[in-house]
Amino acid sequence: MRKWKIALGTAVALGAISMASVHLLDMGSLSLNAGTAGAAPAPAAFVMPVPVVNVVKKTLPIYLDYAARVESIRSVTLQARVPGYLQEQAAADGSDVKQGDLLYRIAPEDYQAALDQAQAEIERDMASLDYARSNLGRGTELAKSGYLAKDSFDQRTSTLRAAEAAIAVDNAALRTAQLNLGYAEIKAPFPGRIGRNQASVGTLVSVAGTVLNTLVQLDPIYVTFNPSETDLVEIEAAKAAGPIAVDVLLPGQSEPSQKGELTFIDNTIDHSTGTITARATIGNAKFSLLPGQYVRVRLHVKEQPNTLMVPQVALGSSQLGKYLYVVGKGNTVDQKLVSLGPTDGDLISVTSGISEGDQVITGNLQKIGPGMPVSPLPQQKPAS
């Protein structure tokens, strides 16, 4: 009887504990549900906005670039052809002159006197020639009638010939005197620019001994460069198709300042360097190119149609090479390794790795990676 009472008491205690546990669980569940019902929803994941452009398809001009040196077509050292004292420098140092402009004058008095003397000698000998002709005419009539000996007639004939020869000598002396007087004025043989004067006024100059100045032609002007023998095949093929246009870029320039045409390719390749000398003739009306100046030249050798172009700013670089980020399926980032070709302004050609329909990502490149979701911004017009 006592055992039964103990068992009944134990069962009642266990039931009370179970009811209390259920009550506590229900209270906890109600409390949890109440907290969940009052909380805000979790925020959506951030998607990076990115600017995109379409791949550009265009005909790309193909150029060959070289370092080049400017050379004058004509350059002369100005020297005197007759000796004398330098009387005048007619053109200032560094002047741009036209053909025939007076540059220097040598004191002309001696040469003017020689010219006057030559003219006087001609007049004297002309008088002798007139007398000899008249004398021979009279002798001819006398010889026909037998009143003049043959020896006297021959003497009169000889005198006439001597007078004619004297006139020829006098004419040569007159021409020499005229040339020497003309040489006293040193004139520009072609249009160009003179340099720094090297003989002061009053200097006694000698024939081809005293350098007065230098004169160089500036328009047109040569630009000389050295293509490699591997480029020569492409240049010759372009030359066979027509004249090759040449652009000249001054240091620091990205666009050509002058244009010209390829006019000379040498006939021998330098075996030590594997290059050949070539030359372009460039219009230089503003004299912005000077002999000795270093520039870059760009030969337009052909056109490459249907070339895929992308902005250069979109390019990335990794250990695997150059790549582009494009918008893939589901607006996720797709990384494409590319092979590159020539540039054209802000664009660069892509020879492999992308297709014409790709959307290239051009901004926020440091904040995205392959597989990330992105939000493409409205299309931007690419530079052309």
Side-chain angles (χ1 to χ4, degrees):
M1 187 68 179
R2 184 181 179 182
K3 292 180 180 180
W4 180 83
K5 289 180 177 180
I6 292 172
L8 180 60
T10 302
V12 171
L14 290 173
I17 292 171
S18 298
M19 290 296 292
S21 298
V22 169
H23 178 72
L24 290 174
L25 287 173
D26 289 341
M27 291 297 292
S29 177
L30 289 172
S31 176
L32 181 61
N33 290 336
T36 304
F46 176 74
V47 178
M48 178 65 67
V50 291
V52 296
V53 297
N54 289 329
V55 176
V56 177
K57 191 174 185 180
K58 62 182 296 186
T59 298
L60 179 67
I62 301 300
Y63 297 101
L64 296 176
D65 292 338
Y66 302 101
R69 183 180 63 258
V70 180
E71 297 178 350
S72 61
I73 294 179
R74 289 184 288 182
S75 176
V76 297
T77 299
L78 298 175
Q79 294 177 295
R81 299 184 66 174
V82 292
Y85 287 97
L86 191 61
Q87 185 182 68
E88 179 188 2
Q89 179 186 352
D93 293 359
S95 297
D96 296 323
V97 298
K98 299 187 290 292
Q99 183 175 356
D101 284 355
L102 178 64
L103 305 180
Y104 291 91
R105 179 181 285 111
I106 296 172
E109 291 81 8
D110 293 343
Y111 302 106
Q112 183 62 56
L115 178 60
D116 294 341
Q117 181 180 353
Q119 290 175 335
E121 290 176 352
I122 287 181
E123 292 177 1
R124 180 196 62 192
D125 292 338
M126 282 296 295
S128 299
L129 177 61
D130 290 340
Y131 174 76
R133 284 174 177 168
S134 177
N135 198 25
L136 180 60
R138 290 191 298 269
T140 302
E141 295 298 327
L142 293 173
K144 289 179 180 179
S145 60
Y147 291 104
L148 183 67
K150 186 177 184 307
D151 181 66
S152 297
F153 179 77
D154 292 342
Q155 187 176 4
R156 294 186 183 191
T157 303
S158 176
T159 301
L160 176 62
R161 290 178 178 175
E164 292 173 341
I167 292 298
V169 172
D170 292 341
N171 284 328
L174 177 65
R175 182 59 182 152
T176 300
Q178 289 172 336
L179 288 173
N180 288 338
L181 182 60
Y183 293 153
E185 291 185 342
I186 301 171
K187 298 181 179 181
F190 52 82
R193 177 177 295 174
I194 64 171
R196 181 174 57 87
N197 179 50
Q198 300 182 46
S200 302
V201 172
T203 301
L204 178 61
V205 298
S206 57
V207 177
T210 306
V211 175
L212 304 179
N213 210 319
T214 56
L215 174 67
V216 295
Q217 179 178 330
L218 297 181
D219 182 30
I221 202 164
Y222 286 148
V223 174
T224 302
F225 53 99
N226 299 97
S228 66
E229 56 184 324
T230 55
D231 290 343
L232 184 59
V233 176
E234 193 168 4
I235 293 174
E236 290 289 0
K239 187 178 178 183
I244 298 179
V246 178
D247 297 335
V248 178
L249 292 86
L250 297 175
Q253 287 185 338
S254 58
E255 294 297 327
S257 58
Q258 274 98 352
K259 297 180 180 291
E261 181 180 327
L262 181 68
T263 53
F264 169 76
I265 298 177
D266 207 351
N267 57 6
T268 304
I269 294 177
D270 187 338
H271 64 86
S272 62
T273 61
T275 61
I276 191 169
T277 300
R279 189 172 65 204
T281 303
I282 308 296
N284 189 33
K286 296 182 179 179
F287 297 166
S288 56
L289 298 177
L290 297 177
Q293 187 175 7
Y294 284 92
V295 296
R296 292 199 63 81
V297 295
R298 193 170 65 182
L299 275 66
H300 185 192
V301 292
K302 63 181 179 181
E303 299 282 341
Q304 183 173 305
N306 301 323
T307 304
L308 301 182
M309 311 288 293
V310 298
Q312 296 190 50
V313 296
L315 284 174
S317 182
S318 68
Q319 293 180 346
L320 299 178
K322 297 293 184 180
Y323 65 85
L324 293 169
Y325 284 144
V326 301
V327 178
K329 293 183 178 179
N331 283 348
T332 59
V333 177
D334 190 5
Q335 185 183 45
K336 292 192 174 184
L337 296 175
V338 293
S339 299
L340 304 176
T343 61
D344 182 24
D346 295 333
L347 301 180
I348 187 168
S349 60
V350 180
T351 57
S352 65
I354 62 171
S355 59
E356 186 178 356
D358 286 336
Q359 287 185 315
V360 179
I361 300 173
T362 60
N364 291 332
L365 300 177
Q366 303 299 324
K367 302 177 182 179
I368 60 176
M372 287 183 57
V374 291
S375 175
L377 296 176
Q379 290 285 321
Q380 297 178 350
K381 184 178 181 181
S384 58

